[in-house]
Amino acid sequence: MKQAILPLFLGFWLLIGPVRGQMPPRQFPPTGYFLTDSIEIGRPFRYSLTYHHAPTVDVLFPDTAHSFAPYRVQKVAVFATQTNGDGTRAVSRDSAVYTLVSFETDSVQLLRVPVRTINAVDCTAQWTLTDTVFLRSKLARSLPDSLAPRSLTLATETTLAPLQQQFNYGALLIGFLGVSLVLGALYLMFGRLARQQWRLYVLNRRHVRFLREYTRLNERISPLTAADIANQAVVMWKLYLEQLDPQPYSSLTTSELADRFHDERVANALRDADQMIYGGTFTAQSQSALLVLSDVATQMYIRSRTALSQTANPNEENNNSATSSESASSS
């Protein structure tokens, strides 16, 4: 009898042996627990989640947006997968630590989360055991009605608490936009007039500066300094004319300047200046010749100022032209 049972036992062992060698390693449920016993409202705390599984299994840890409700997830620290063992005995471990915040007022708060494993057909959810955490409140516990005082007296606190001043960026932005709109409206209404006044101001300042420096040179002229002073005065005069009228006055000769102005007084003044510069002659009319050039510059300044005023007021210029035409027609 024993000789018949022994071959049957050996055959059954050989039959189930390969099957046992191919069985997957033991699966463990996910482990989740709070890393603290008590929490406070609005204070972050941590929750640890660990799952052991076969290395060939793909694992999905819980979604931070829904799986932890009503808690809010601030951040997640995920650790690399660790695998121990070889072959069918190998076990991998995935873990993560979630930083949570609770705004619930319950004294006892619970949490259990799912870990999903990906199969050939779908995802299988495996839940952790429910872990408990206690709310630590700073409010005094209310006494039972039998122990509550019959009359309550409110305590007054008159100590002023200093508050940190905060800059109001919204008001600054609104103020900046308001000022920009006002300046933009003023520019649209008076921008042309403001530019005209500024140009007239700059033109006047240049003329005053020219007259001051030119007069200073004319007062210093003498028989010994006639050549040098006359040269500086003529150069200054030509440069100032170029500011009033964009023409190359500095490169024009005396005869070319005389032809341009069509004025015998200007031609005589330039000839006297040439005699002082190149001949070193100085007479009683030398200063008068330089004053003639100064008068010419003043006349050009007046024409430039008038032209600038007329370009800023074209309606006034058209009215003046119409008035002149009507006067000529009536005549």
Side-chain angles (χ1 to χ4, degrees), residues 64-253:
T64 58
H66 302 286
S67 301
F68 289 87
Y71 306 101
R72 298 183 183 179
V73 180
Q74 281 192 341
K75 60 181 179 179
V76 182
V78 180
F79 301 94
T81 303
Q82 296 182 357
T83 303
N84 297 323
D86 297 326
T88 58
R89 297 296 180 180
V91 177
S92 296
R93 185 185 68 178
D94 287 321
S95 58
V97 175
Y98 299 82
T99 301
L100 310 177
V101 176
S102 175
F103 295 96
E104 300 296 321
T105 58
D106 298 336
S107 58
V108 178
Q109 301 184 20
L110 310 176
L111 179 63
R112 62 190 294 258
V113 296
V115 175
R116 291 177 171 83
T117 57
I118 302 177
N119 302 321
V121 179
D122 56 3
C123 294
T124 301
Q126 300 189 35
W127 293 81
T128 63
L129 297 177
T130 302
D131 196 17
T132 304
V133 69
F134 299 96
L135 178 65
R136 184 170 63 251
S137 177
K138 295 183 179 180
L139 300 177
R141 294 183 179 180
S142 59
L143 298 175
D145 295 339
S146 58
L147 300 179
R150 296 304 177 184
S151 60
L152 298 178
T153 303
L154 298 178
T156 58
E157 177 64 39
T158 58
T159 304
L160 297 179
L163 300 178
Q164 183 179 3
Q165 295 184 356
Q166 296 182 355
F167 192 79
N168 194 342
Y169 292 98
L172 176 64
L173 180 60
I174 294 174
F176 178 77
L177 293 177
V179 172
S180 300
L181 292 176
V182 172
L183 293 178
L186 292 176
Y187 180 79
L188 292 177
M189 292 187 294
F190 306 105
R192 187 172 185 177
L193 179 61
R195 291 195 301 270
Q196 174 202 4
Q197 295 300 322
W198 173 254
R199 291 173 182 172
L200 291 175
Y201 172 77
V202 173
L203 189 65
N204 180 68
R205 294 300 302 171
R206 288 178 180 174
H207 185 67
V208 171
R209 189 185 307 114
F210 165 74
L211 291 179
R212 182 173 61 250
E213 297 178 358
Y214 192 86
T215 303
R216 187 183 299 115
L217 283 176
N218 197 14
E219 291 175 351
R220 292 168 47 196
I221 195 169
S222 64
L224 297 177
T225 61
D228 186 31
I229 295 298
N231 184 45
Q232 294 182 26
V234 172
V235 171
M236 182 185 300
W237 178 72
K238 291 181 179 180
L239 292 177
Y240 180 64
L241 293 185
E242 290 180 350
Q243 293 180 354
L244 298 176
D245 183 18
Q247 299 295 331
Y249 290 97
S250 299
S251 60
L252 297 179
T253 61

Side-chain angles (χ1 to χ4, degrees), residues 267-283:
N268 294 333
L270 291 174
R271 292 190 190 97
D272 292 341
D274 288 342
Q275 291 178 2
M276 285 186 288
I277 296 173
Y278 301 107
T281 60
F282 179 77
T283 62

Side-chain angles (χ1 to χ4, degrees), residues 51-54 57-61 94 115-118:
Y51 182 56
H52 295 80
H53 58 88
V57 175
D58 294 328
V59 178
L60 296 178
F61 267 42
D94 287 321
V115 175
R116 291 177 171 83
T117 57
I118 302 177

Side-chain angles (χ1 to χ4, degrees), residues 34-39 132-136:
F34 294 103
L35 297 181
T36 182
D37 295 333
S38 59
I39 62 174
T132 304
V133 69
F134 299 96
L135 178 65
R136 184 170 63 251

